[in-house]
Amino acid sequence: MLKRHVSAGIERQVPGRPAKARRGTLGAALDGPITGKALRLVPYNAVTWYIGRRYCRPMEPDKSKECPLHGAGASAQSLVGHRLAEVVGSWHMYGSDAPAGPLDVWLIDDRGAAIHVTTGSDWCLIVEASMPHAGYDMGDLGRVTVGTIDEESPFVDHVGEEVLEVREEHAPNTGRVALELTFPTGRVRCDSWAGDLRLTSV
């Protein structure tokens, strides 16, 4: 005999007769472990549903590859299978000094979607889905300009080509530190080098 019955799951018990489980329900809740006798009263699918709900917990997302400050960011895998239509960058301008950068790079595909690549204050590599922002004045510290990259960038040689593969590298307690894109005619690597964004052909 079952030690406890759930009224919603079994029919009313008649003295001298065993309790009957309604079709499609677990039929009983036990004070102790679930026994073979209890399991024989109910359909298999109802038992597995009950056990899963009672004893299983949702799997926690893997946060080992996330940056503690900036999170996981976006995935550049969305570029795979699409042509690189345009590359936009930002540079720091100060007086008569040569432009420093690029500080940011936006990879825009043939759909108009943009992947933003830059570095974080903790030297991680930030990858996010966002469109290029406007340039801005920094007062005595100079200004930041934003525009299309048409020379002196490894990506320029691959504009119009399809992105075949995207690979990322991660480091403990930092998150993403490198992003490598493969094109039909070569590869481009983006990484954080001492906090600066570095782009190289590989």
Side-chain angles (χ1 to χ4, degrees):
M1 296 293 296
L2 298 176
K3 301 172 69 176
R4 181 185 296 174
H5 302 304
V6 178
S7 60
I10 62 173
E11 296 176 355
R12 182 180 300 276
Q13 185 175 3
V14 178
R17 296 182 182 178
K20 295 182 180 180
R22 291 181 182 172
R23 183 176 181 81
T25 64
L26 180 59
L30 306 178
D31 292 328
I34 297 176
T35 64
K37 183 176 181 180
L39 298 184
R40 286 195 297 271
L41 293 175
V42 294
Y44 175 78
N45 61 344
V47 174
T48 55
W49 172 85
Y50 175 79
I51 293 175
R53 183 169 179 175
R54 181 174 181 179
Y55 295 103
C56 298
R57 296 291 184 268
M59 295 182 62
E60 293 292 334
D62 181 11
K63 295 187 177 181
S64 61
K65 296 182 177 181
E66 292 187 7
C67 170
L69 292 180
H70 307 97
S75 173
Q77 293 292 338
S78 61
L79 292 172
V80 175
H82 295 277
R83 290 185 300 103
L84 181 63
E86 184 182 6
V87 182
V88 176
S90 72
W91 297 265
H92 178 223
M93 311 287 290
Y94 182 76
S96 59
D97 295 346
L103 309 176
D104 308 82
V105 166
W106 288 268
L107 306 176
I108 304 175
D109 65 19
D110 51 8
R111 303 166 300 175
I115 292 293
H116 176 211
V117 182
T118 188
T119 56
S121 57
D122 57 351
W123 293 12
C124 74
L125 188 71
I126 299 174
V127 177
E128 58 186 6
S130 67
M131 299 300 293
H133 57 68
Y136 52 91
D137 192 344
M138 300 177 63
D140 294 339
L141 298 178
R143 58 192 175 91
V144 171
T145 62
V146 177
T148 300
I149 298 178
D150 53 11
E151 59 183 12
E152 297 182 359
S153 170
F155 281 114
V156 172
D157 295 333
H158 304 292
V159 172
E161 294 184 356
E162 179 181 348
V163 180
L164 302 178
E165 184 182 2
V166 170
R167 188 176 65 87
E168 296 182 348
E169 294 179 10
H170 300 79
N173 303 317
T174 303
R176 185 191 298 102
V177 293
L179 174 71
E180 189 174 293
L181 291 89
T182 300
F183 299 90
T185 60
R187 292 176 293 161
V188 178
R189 179 182 175 86
C190 313
D191 60 9
S192 176
W193 181 256
D196 294 330
L197 178 62
R198 182 174 64 172
L199 309 176
T200 53
S201 295
V202 294

